[in-house]
Amino acid sequence: MKRKIDHTHIVLILFFCISSATTAQEPHISYDAGLINSHIKQRQLLHYKDNNCSRGETVIVPPSLVFPNPRIRTAYIALQAWKQIAMLSDPLGYTANWVGSNVCNYTGVFCAQALDNPTIETVAGIDLNHADIAGYLPEELGHLLDIALFHVNSNRFCGTVPKSFSRLKLLHELDLSNNRFAGKFPLVLLQLPALKYLDIRFNEFEGRIPKKLFDKHLDAIFLNDNRFTHELPHNLGNSPVSVIVLANNKFHGCIPASLGNMSKNLNELILTRSGLYSCLPGEIGKLKNLTVLDVSRNDLIGELPHALGEMLSLEELNVAHNKLIGTIPRSICGLPNLKKFSFQDNFFTGEPPMCLDLEQFDDSRNCLRDRPNQRSMLQCKLFLSKSVGCSSFECLPSLPPPSPPPSPPPQHSTPPPSSPPPQPSPPPPVHCIRAPPPPPLNSLPPPPPSPHYNSSPPPSSSPQTSPPPPSPPHPSPPPSHPNPPPPPIYSPPPPLPPCKEPPPPPSPPPCLQYSPPPTPA
C-alpha cells in the first residue's frame, strides 16, 4: 500500500503485519491517532525527532503477567516495543520466544544481579549477533538502564542510534557493526561514561569523526568501512585505546603526529585505504608497544622515517601501494620481532640485503634494479624527478599528551589532630557479562570465514583487524547462564548490501519501518 504524505516527501511503502492469533501474554500496542501522520515522517531514516522517548505508542502490559520486580517489567515493555514495532523481519526466529514475563529467558537477553541492589535480577546484556533481523532501534531501548553489553552485529538494522542511549550509564560494550546504520557519527555515544569497546564498522556513517571521541577512555575503536571524511582529528593521540582501526574510509590530509603520545597503550594501528596524503610522521617511531602497523593503499610520499627502526615490538609492517621513495632503513629490517614486511608498489630505490631474510616480505613494483618484478626505468625516472617535500603538507606538529588533573594546593597550616579524612570510595564496577550466543537453529548459515578489516578478501600480507576484546577493567558478576563462551562480536562477515528501497534517493535510502494504519476520516 502506498500513501503519499505530500508533494515534497518520498513515497513510503507501509507493511501491515496482522497476526492470525494473539495470546493473552502478547502485548497490545495502542496508537494516538492524532500523532500518526507526524510519526510516519519521523520514522524515516535520519528524520527521527526525540520527544521524551515517545512516539504516540504504548505497550499495554496484560494484567495477567507477573514480574519479579519493576525493572524486569520495564525491560519487558522496552523489548516488546522493539519486537512489535521496530523489527520488520526475523527470518531465523530469534525473537520467537519473546513472549511472557520471563524476560531473562528470551533468546539473546541475559540477566544478572543489579549493581545497586544485588537482591534483584535485571537485564544486563543483549546479544543478537548474526540474527539477520531487519528493522531499527527504538527509543524505548533507553529504558534498559542496567545494560552493560549491547551486541547486534551482522543484522539489517537501519536508521540511527537512539538518543535515549544517553541514559545507558553502565554500557561497557557496544557492537553495531555490519548493519545499515547511516548518518553522522552518533554523538550520543560520547555521553556513555562506562563505554570501553566501540565497534560501528561496516555501516554507512559519514561526515567528520568528532574530536571528543579520542578524549574518551576507550580500549578499542573500530570505525572502518564507513563513509567518514575530512582530516583525522589532531588529538587522535590522546586516546588510551590499544587497538584503533579506521581503514576503508574517505579521509584526507595528514597522519596526526600526536600518535606518538600513544606509546604506552597502542598495540595495533590500521589506516589502510583511508585517503591519507602526507608523509609518515617521525613521531610514529615512539610507539614501542605497537605490533601491527598498516598504512597501505594511501597516498603517502617521502621516505620511511628511520624512527620506525625503534619500534621493537613491531611484528607486521605494511606500507604497500603508496608513493614512498628512498632506501629502506636497515634498522627496520633488523627489528627483532618483525616477521612480515610489505612495501610493494612504491618507488623505493634501495633495500638492505637483510630484508630478504624476513619470513614474509614483498618488494615488487619498486625501483630496485637488482630485484625481479620492478617498475620500468622510465617510470621510475619520471616519478622521482617530481618528488614533493614533506614540508609542503603543512601538517601540524605533535600535540603534548593531555595533562593530568592538577594536584590539590598545599596546606599552609597544620590541621587540628582528628581522624584521617575518609578515602573516596572507588567507582562501582561495571558488570560486563559475556553473553553466550543464541541456541543454534537448523536454518543458521555456516560460520563465515575469518574476516579481515577489508570488505573484500585481503591480500595475504594484510593483517587481521578483529582482535579479541580487551578485558573489562572491573570484575564482572557471573551471568545467570553457566560457562558462557565469549560472544562472537569481533569478526563480522563481509558487509551486507546497502538497504535498497524504491525510489533510490542520492543519500542512504529510508529504512522501511512498521507504521500503524491511518485512522479513517
Side-chain angles (χ1 to χ4, degrees):
M1 174 180 177
K2 296 184 178 179
R3 183 171 182 264
K4 190 173 182 180
I5 298 177
D6 56 42
H7 296 291
T8 61
H9 290 82
I10 64 174
V11 176
L12 295 179
I13 301 176
L14 305 179
F15 290 96
F16 299 105
C17 302
I18 304 176
S19 59
S20 57
T22 58
T23 65
Q25 292 182 325
E26 292 179 336
H28 172 71
I29 311 297
S30 66
Y31 305 97
D32 185 340
L35 297 177
I36 288 177
N37 290 338
S38 62
H39 292 317
I40 291 176
K41 175 182 176 181
Q42 289 176 353
R43 287 190 185 186
Q44 295 181 54
L45 189 61
L46 305 181
H47 287 282
Y48 187 87
K49 295 182 180 179
D50 186 19
N51 184 22
N52 297 325
C53 301
S54 175
R55 294 190 303 267
E57 304 156 354
T58 304
V59 174
I60 304 300
V61 181
S64 59
L65 295 184
V66 178
F67 300 93
N69 60 68
R71 299 191 193 189
I72 295 297
R73 185 181 189 276
T74 300
Y76 170 86
I77 294 173
L79 295 173
Q80 291 300 333
W82 193 8
K83 176 185 178 180
Q84 298 294 328
I85 300 297
M87 291 185 182
L88 308 178
S89 173
D90 181 9
L92 303 181
Y94 269 63
T95 63
N97 70 341
W98 284 26
V99 177
S101 60
N102 197 351
V103 170
C104 296
N105 279 355
Y106 288 5
T107 299
V109 178
F110 304 94
C111 295
Q113 292 177 336
L115 291 180
D116 58 339
N117 187 355
T119 64
I120 65 173
E121 198 173 35
T122 186
V123 172
I126 301 289
D127 187 347
L128 291 176
N129 287 344
H130 303 277
D132 197 28
I133 296 174
Y136 65 101
L137 304 182
E139 292 287 336
E140 287 82 355
L141 292 176
H143 294 306
L144 301 175
L145 302 181
D146 296 305
I147 199 170
L149 177 151
F150 190 82
H151 296 166
V152 292
N153 83 43
S154 304
N155 285 281
R156 291 175 288 149
F157 289 115
C158 298
T160 57
V161 180
K163 293 181 180 180
S164 63
F165 268 40
S166 63
R167 305 174 62 193
L168 307 182
K169 303 303 182 183
L170 300 180
L171 188 61
H172 188 273
E173 295 186 8
L174 178 63
D175 185 359
L176 306 179
S177 62
N178 200 24
N179 279 282
R180 300 171 182 175
F181 295 107
K184 305 298 182 183
F185 181 94
L187 296 179
V188 67
L189 304 184
L190 304 179
Q191 303 177 41
L192 303 176
L195 189 65
K196 293 296 181 182
Y197 180 90
L198 175 62
D199 190 349
I200 59 173
R201 55 185 159 172
F202 292 105
N203 279 289
E204 300 290 331
F205 292 113
E206 61 189 37
R208 292 180 182 270
I209 295 179
K211 293 181 179 179
K212 292 183 178 180
L213 176 65
F214 301 108
D215 290 327
K216 287 187 65 64
H217 293 282
L218 298 173
D219 287 335
I221 298 177
F222 293 90
L223 307 183
N224 53 290
D225 294 88
N226 279 282
R227 298 174 179 268
F228 290 118
T229 56
H230 297 82
E231 294 185 352
L232 291 176
H234 300 304
N235 68 329
L236 188 150
N238 289 355
S239 179
V241 296
S242 60
V243 178
I244 182 167
V245 184
L246 305 177
N248 298 317
N249 280 287
K250 300 179 180 180
F251 303 116
H252 62 263
C254 303
I255 295 179
S258 64
L259 281 172
N261 297 336
M262 308 174 76
S263 59
K264 296 182 179 180
N265 53 280
L266 192 60
N267 299 131
E268 295 191 19
L269 175 63
I270 311 296
L271 299 175
T272 186
R273 207 189 297 267
S274 296
L276 300 172
Y277 180 46
S278 68
C279 294
L280 269 175
E283 290 83 354
I284 205 168
K286 298 179 181 179
L287 303 177
K288 307 299 184 184
N289 294 319
L290 197 70
T291 60
V292 177
L293 173 60
D294 190 339
V295 292
S296 62
R297 298 183 183 276
N298 284 287
D299 287 314
L300 302 180
I301 70 164
E303 300 185 6
L304 287 181
H306 284 268
L308 291 179
E310 302 173 7
M311 304 171 68
L312 301 180
S313 301
L314 196 62
E315 300 175 5
E316 299 182 13
L317 175 60
N318 191 346
V319 297
H321 306 287
N322 281 289
K323 300 174 182 177
L324 299 168
I325 62 173
T327 299
I328 302 292
R330 178 184 178 88
S331 58
I332 295 179
C333 294
L335 288 171
N337 295 299
L338 188 64
K339 297 179 177 61
K340 182 186 297 186
F341 185 16
S342 301
F343 53 95
Q344 73 271 22
D345 198 13
N346 279 286
F347 293 87
F348 290 113
T349 54
E351 64 177 338
M354 62 190 314
C355 292
L356 307 181
D357 297 330
L358 294 172
E359 291 183 14
Q360 298 182 46
F361 79 98
D362 190 346
D363 61 359
S364 61
R365 288 192 54 78
N366 278 284
C367 301
L368 305 171
R369 302 177 67 180
D370 298 328
R371 295 290 299 162
N373 303 319
Q374 300 296 305
R375 298 181 184 272
S376 67
M377 294 183 63
L378 178 60
Q379 188 179 11
C380 292
K381 183 177 181 180
L382 289 176
F383 180 83
L384 295 175
S385 65
K386 301 177 182 179
S387 60
V388 181
C390 295
S391 59
S392 62
F393 296 105
E394 299 182 353
C395 298
L396 295 181
S398 176
L399 296 174
S403 302
S407 57
Q411 297 290 337
H412 297 288
S413 59
T414 304
S418 60
S419 59
Q423 296 295 325
S425 58
V430 176
H431 60 273
C432 181
I433 65 171
R434 296 292 179 182
L441 301 175
N442 295 333
S443 58
L444 281 176
S450 299
H452 295 63
Y453 51 86
N454 292 318
S455 57
S456 58
S460 60
S461 59
S462 297
Q464 293 185 357
T465 61
S466 296
S471 300
H474 303 293
S476 306
S480 57
H481 303 268
N483 300 324
I489 67 170
Y490 308 107
S491 299
L496 300 169
C499 195
K500 297 181 180 179
E501 310 294 349
S507 59
C511 175
L512 298 180
Q513 300 169 0
Y514 177 81
S515 300
T519 304

